[in-house]
Amino acid sequence: MLSELLLTDIARLSQLGRLPLHRQLYESLRRAILDGRVGAGERLPSSRELSQDLALSRNTVMAALSQLTVEGYLVSRMGSGTFVADQVPQRVTTMVLPAQGWAGSSLSVRGERLAGSASAADLEVQPFSSGTADFSAFPVALWQRLQNKHWRMVYPEMLDYSDSGGYAPLRRALADYLRVSRSVPLQAEQVIITSGTQQSLALCAHLLADHGDTVWLEDPAYWGATKVFMAAGLHAHPVAVDHEGIAPAAADELTPPRLVYVTPSHQYPTGAVMSLARRHQVLALARQHQAWVLEDDYDSEFRFSGPPISSLTGLDRDERVLYMGSFSKVLYPGLKLGHLVVPPGLVASFRQAHYDLNRPGQLPLQAALAEFIDMGHFASALRRARQSYAERRRCLLAALQPCLGPDARITGAEQGLHLCLRLAADVDDGALAAQLARVGLTVRPLSAYCLRRQDARGLVIGYGYTPLADIERCGPLLARTLVTALAQAHSASRKR
Ligand SMILES: Cc1ncc(COP(=O)(O)O)c(C=O)c1O
């Protein structure tokens, strides 16, 4: 019965074009599944039976079946055969929206604000700049081989926009990884592949908040997130961060949030780890205000000391937390791939909106990444990177020892690719950073990340992008310059 149906379809397809035989079989079977002619859970004939019935080679049949399995249309159960999956990937239909154009050539008020606020783009990547990983360690030759392989296997649909959640095997690989390493309780359907955290945040801002709604931001905050919320027309309400992470006070609740953006594993940029009590407080506030919590887990892969930290999402019982991660730090930023995990109740709307707003694509790239993860290359890249960053971190911490004292202490060095040297509230950290820039060292003043508060002063110092040899060479210069500058600042403030 199935064979007859497939034979008719294959005959039709072969008249239409010159698709290879395994693609014709793949396409026929996929269509039969999508339009319900073969039902969910139905058992397929064995590859031997199919090859006899269809007069196709066994290899041809196996190639088609394995592709459908990889894409989530089929599941094979050891010893009992191949079945149509209970839930098959869906294609979403598109919606036509009226076109809009720019009225004039000058920037909007929002555009002026966006262009005029703090940005990472104008900061050169030099020793100690933060927020950047060492992508020179990326295994380029291996990646190239995987890409070539997937481009050789490419078929026309792979060049289309992607299914709205992204390539199914990649979503499955990520779900497995997040369940184990981040204690995120999730099904692969909840994962949406995006072009990185910026896009994940924009989706959340557009789908969960309206123009003028309030977003609580950590103060000091990540510029990237601040800008996305600004672009979405949200009202940013800064909430101070202390050593336990975001610290909402009663006064903050006078401006109730619609969204709460947090970096609980390693607050960016202070490095504070959100305590368990605060995690419960944030979840309770979200429940009380019917708000959504956006958890940006940007560098949790790199933890060097202290107990492992689970995700905030893992504690969420009300399905109010959305979790986002990125490959920018572990692989390389130009890859432009990240993932967003949404609660089950939001999956359909997020997929639809992602498709309509962003037209996601790059399936061959996603396929190569899925294999990179499945074959264990991701885990080895992570291991190598952790080891290399651990050495850089140790070297930087040792170099900074002479600067430390009651008014200069390090926070956030247990994890990530940067640490924060916290200084007294009367230190001009901007002037200090400028002084260091004159000797070729790029550190960022903590005050540049502050939204409202005046008391957070310090330097954000990165070691991810700085090779060990450069830290060994430039670390003592950094420390000497700091010791002198801090002594001068100290005596100046005593005279005042
Ligand atoms: C706090 C934070 N979140 C997320 C990211 C990653 O963003 P994306 O995936 O857009 O590259 C970064 C990168 O610098 C970051 O510092």
Side-chain angles (χ1 to χ4, degrees):
M1 165 67 191
L2 174 65
S3 301
E4 278 166 30
L5 188 153
L6 291 173
L7 271 176
T8 323
D9 225 29
I10 289 173
R12 201 176 45 76
L13 275 177
S14 60
Q15 282 161 12
L16 286 179
R18 280 186 287 146
L19 279 180
L21 283 171
H22 68 94
R23 292 292 311 151
Q24 293 181 21
L25 175 56
Y26 158 93
E27 197 52 46
S28 307
L29 199 43
R30 193 177 73 100
R31 287 180 198 199
I33 294 171
L34 280 176
D35 54 35
R37 283 177 294 157
V38 195
E42 199 170 308
R43 185 176 183 281
L44 296 192
S46 71
S47 58
R48 194 174 39 77
E49 286 165 337
L50 276 175
S51 95
Q52 276 170 3
D53 291 352
L54 304 173
L56 294 173
S57 81
R58 188 99 178 267
N59 280 352
T60 303
V61 173
M62 302 267 275
L65 295 186
S66 79
Q67 188 60 38
L68 287 162
T69 308
V70 163
E71 290 180 15
Y73 292 91
L74 300 178
V75 282
S76 72
R77 300 200 188 105
M78 275 286 261
S80 49
T82 304
F83 299 78
V84 178
D86 287 331
Q87 282 193 322
V88 295
Q90 295 287 332
R91 283 207 167 252
V92 291
T93 49
T94 55
M95 211 169 52
V96 181
L97 292 174
Q100 278 195 341
W102 285 93
S105 58
S106 61
L107 293 178
S108 60
V109 174
R110 176 173 34 203
E112 293 286 354
R113 282 181 67 212
L114 275 168
S117 55
S119 159
D122 54 356
L123 286 163
E124 284 177 75
V125 179
Q126 306 194 83
F128 305 121
S129 57
S130 64
T132 317
D134 181 6
F135 33 84
S136 70
F138 183 70
V140 174
L142 168 66
W143 186 247
Q144 194 180 15
R145 274 202 304 282
L146 283 177
Q147 294 260 50
N148 287 346
K149 175 178 162 187
H150 286 276
W151 274 106
R152 271 199 305 275
M153 293 179 6
V154 93
Y155 47 91
E157 287 74 11
M158 290 288 276
L159 305 180
D160 197 357
Y161 301 121
S162 85
D163 272 339
S164 49
Y167 191 61
L170 178 58
R171 283 191 274 125
R172 276 200 298 276
L174 280 168
D176 292 344
Y177 170 74
L178 293 173
R179 230 178 271 124
V180 173
S181 66
R182 307 298 304 128
S183 315
V184 179
L186 80 163
Q187 298 301 318
E189 290 69 38
Q190 290 170 253
V191 179
I192 293 176
I193 307 295
T194 65
S195 69
T197 304
Q198 293 301 93
Q199 192 174 68
S200 303
L201 286 170
L203 266 178
C204 294
H206 289 126
L207 265 87
L208 301 175
D210 285 310
H211 196 271
D213 277 352
T214 295
V215 53
W216 279 8
L217 290 173
E218 297 167 319
D219 190 8
Y222 170 48
W223 294 329
T226 312
K227 293 224 169 183
V228 170
F229 298 129
M230 199 189 274
L234 303 193
H235 166 68
H237 175 79
V239 178
V241 165
D242 66 14
H243 65 287
E244 289 183 71
I246 194 167
D252 292 311
E253 289 195 58
L254 299 177
T255 316
R258 176 77 183 154
L259 302 178
V260 181
Y261 167 78
V262 283
T263 45
S265 310
H266 191 232
Q267 201 273 328
Y268 193 85
T270 66
V273 176
M274 195 187 286
S275 66
L276 190 60
R278 285 287 164 74
R279 286 169 193 246
H280 285 301
Q281 185 187 357
V282 168
L283 294 175
L285 279 167
R287 196 179 311 127
Q288 181 191 337
H289 296 290
Q290 296 287 292
W292 299 99
V293 180
L294 313 183
E295 175 174 23
D296 178 357
D297 206 24
Y298 67 104
D299 71 2
S300 61
E301 297 86 1
F302 306 113
R303 182 143 184 91
F304 308 111
S305 67
I309 300 165
S310 302
S311 63
L312 176 63
T313 310
L315 292 177
D316 176 27
R317 298 287 166 264
D318 306 309
E319 301 193 350
R320 301 215 70 86
V321 184
L322 291 90
Y323 174 96
M324 55 200 77
S326 165
F327 289 102
S328 291
K329 311 272 187 208
V330 185
L331 301 181
Y332 64 100
L335 181 61
K336 294 302 303 158
L337 282 178
H339 45 94
L340 172 66
V341 180
V342 303
L346 294 179
V347 169
S349 333
F350 266 71
R351 280 183 170 211
Q352 176 79 48
H354 184 37
Y355 193 87
D356 292 338
L357 293 172
N358 303 320
R359 293 284 191 271
Q362 297 187 322
L363 282 171
L365 185 69
Q366 294 189 24
L369 179 56
E371 184 168 343
F372 188 82
I373 298 174
D374 284 339
M375 299 303 287
H377 303 305
F378 181 75
S380 350
L382 204 51
R383 241 188 337 269
R384 278 195 305 276
R386 268 195 204 117
Q387 207 170 1
S388 158
Y389 295 140
E391 282 169 12
R392 297 169 195 217
R393 164 188 172 271
R394 212 176 304 118
C395 183
L396 177 61
L397 284 174
L400 286 175
Q401 284 309 307
C403 316
L404 305 184
D407 283 337
R409 63 194 168 82
I410 287 170
T411 59
E414 300 79 20
Q415 180 169 317
L417 306 176
H418 76 275
L419 52 80
C420 192
L421 180 69
R422 304 299 294 268
L423 302 170
D426 59 353
V427 171
D428 183 349
D429 56 3
L432 202 51
Q435 195 174 337
L436 287 162
R438 285 195 287 279
V439 292
L441 306 177
T442 304
V443 298
R444 295 191 190 155
L446 184 58
S447 56
Y449 296 87
C450 291
L451 300 172
R452 184 168 56 192
R453 63 195 287 184
Q454 301 292 327
D455 61 328
R457 294 291 177 266
L459 297 174
V460 181
I461 309 177
Y463 47 86
Y465 190 73
T466 316
L468 186 61
D470 283 0
I471 301 184
E472 281 165 350
R473 190 169 50 83
C474 301
L477 173 63
L478 172 67
R480 264 198 318 278
T481 317
L482 276 175
V483 166
T484 315
L486 289 174
Q488 281 165 358
H490 193 59
S491 72
S493 82
R494 271 219 313 253
K495 276 188 208 140
R496 262 186 256 129

